[in-house]
């Protein structure tokens, strides 16, 4: 198989398999949106803050566990999708790269939801746009072409984007600025 065919197949496998790691964060996020939204509607900032904090902690630690499993089980997981050793090896590397960012991605998913539940919907949108266009998009070609990392460079850029999103959403939630948004 050609190098580009291997990279394409590995990327497809990694994208598909990665979803197993962060999918639970969406479920937690939907529950948190409802709980935070109810507390906000009732004018109870303290309950809203507690629900958001609990959801973030639950999602973070759950995804630490799934991220570790993803890292350790990457070759086996990739092997479920393809038997070509080159494809499996490259897909496993991509899964190991992204596994480190998964807890932060969970924070981004969950806290974006809690912020929306607290009527602070613009912030997560701006964070997503900023991280995509100012971190991922410029970093990927640098890592791919300048550093010669190939597909791994794309996944490192994505991981950097996801970590930044998680950190910025966490800082926003912890700052309490969202409490003034719904006042």
């Amino acid at each position: 198989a050609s190098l580009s065919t291997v990279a394409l197949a590995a990327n497809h496998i990694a994208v598909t398999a990665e979803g197993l790691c962060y999918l639970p964060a969406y479920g937690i996020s939907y529950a948190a949106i409802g709980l935070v939204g109810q507390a906000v509607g009732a004018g109870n900032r303290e309950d809203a803050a507690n629900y958001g904090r609990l959801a973030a902690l639950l999602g973070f630690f759950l995804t630490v566990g799934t991220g570790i499993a993803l890292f350790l089980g990457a070759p086996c997981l990739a092997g479920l999708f393809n038997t070509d050793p080159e494809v499996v090896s490259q897909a496993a590397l991509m899964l190991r790269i992204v596994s480190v960012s998964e807890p932060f991605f969970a924070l981004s998913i969950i806290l974006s939801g809690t912020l929306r539940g607290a009527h602070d919907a613009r912030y997560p949108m701006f964070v997503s746009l900023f991280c995509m266009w100012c971190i991922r998009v410029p970093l990927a070609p640098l890592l791919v072409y300048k550093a010669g990392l190939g597909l791994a460079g794309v996944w490192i850029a994505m991981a950097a984007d996801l970590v930044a999103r998680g950190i910025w959403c966490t800082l926003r939630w912890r700052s309490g600025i969202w409490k003034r948004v719904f006042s």
Side-chain angles (χ1 to χ4, degrees), residues 21 23 25 31 36 39 42 53 58-59 74-76 103 108 140 156 160 173 177 183:
C21 195
L23 196 58
V36 169
R53 185 173 27 262
L58 176 64
C76 293
S108 168
I156 291 168
W173 186 260
I177 291 170
S183 297

Side-chain angles (χ1 to χ4, degrees), residues 52-98:
R53 185 173 27 262
L54 177 63
L57 288 171
L58 176 64
F60 182 81
F61 287 112
L62 176 67
T63 313
V64 164
T66 59
I68 290 169
L70 185 65
F71 186 89
L72 296 175
C76 293
L77 185 57
L80 293 174
F81 295 91
N82 198 302
T83 56
D84 183 317
E86 280 184 85
V87 172
V88 170
S89 175
Q90 189 149 97
L93 176 60
M94 300 316 114
L95 291 173
R96 286 185 167 149
I97 289 168
V98 79

Side-chain angles (χ1 to χ4, degrees), residues 138-151 153-154:
L139 186 58
L142 289 174
L143 294 173
V144 169
Y145 299 112
K146 293 289 185 189
L149 295 176
L151 183 59
V154 173

Side-chain angles (χ1 to χ4, degrees), residues 24-177:
Y26 279 107
I28 294 168
S29 175
Y30 297 141
I33 289 168
L35 291 169
V36 169
Q38 267 189 322
V40 166
N44 192 333
R45 289 183 176 96
E46 191 62 32
D47 280 356
N50 288 335
Y51 289 139
R53 185 173 27 262
L54 177 63
L57 288 171
L58 176 64
F60 182 81
F61 287 112
L62 176 67
T63 313
V64 164
T66 59
I68 290 169
L70 185 65
F71 186 89
L72 296 175
C76 293
L77 185 57
L80 293 174
F81 295 91
N82 198 302
T83 56
D84 183 317
E86 280 184 85
V87 172
V88 170
S89 175
Q90 189 149 97
L93 176 60
M94 300 316 114
L95 291 173
R96 286 185 167 149
I97 289 168
V98 79
S99 69
V100 176
S101 67
E102 292 301 315
F104 297 96
F105 189 30
L107 286 173
S108 168
I109 292 166
I110 294 164
L111 292 174
S112 289
T114 61
L115 288 166
R116 284 192 308 273
H119 305 286
D120 190 7
R122 287 184 192 158
Y123 185 81
M125 180 193 69
F126 288 128
V127 165
S128 293
L129 288 172
F130 178 83
C131 290
M132 176 63 75
W133 292 104
C134 296
I135 295 175
R136 187 184 300 203
V137 170
L139 186 58
L142 289 174
L143 294 173
V144 169
Y145 299 112
K146 293 289 185 189
L149 295 176
L151 183 59
V154 173
W155 281 75
I156 291 168
M158 180 177 73
D161 166 3
L162 299 178
V163 169
R165 288 181 198 208
I167 290 170
W168 280 327
C169 286
T170 300
L171 292 173
R172 178 67 164 205
W173 186 260
R174 291 185 70 191
S175 75
I177 291 170

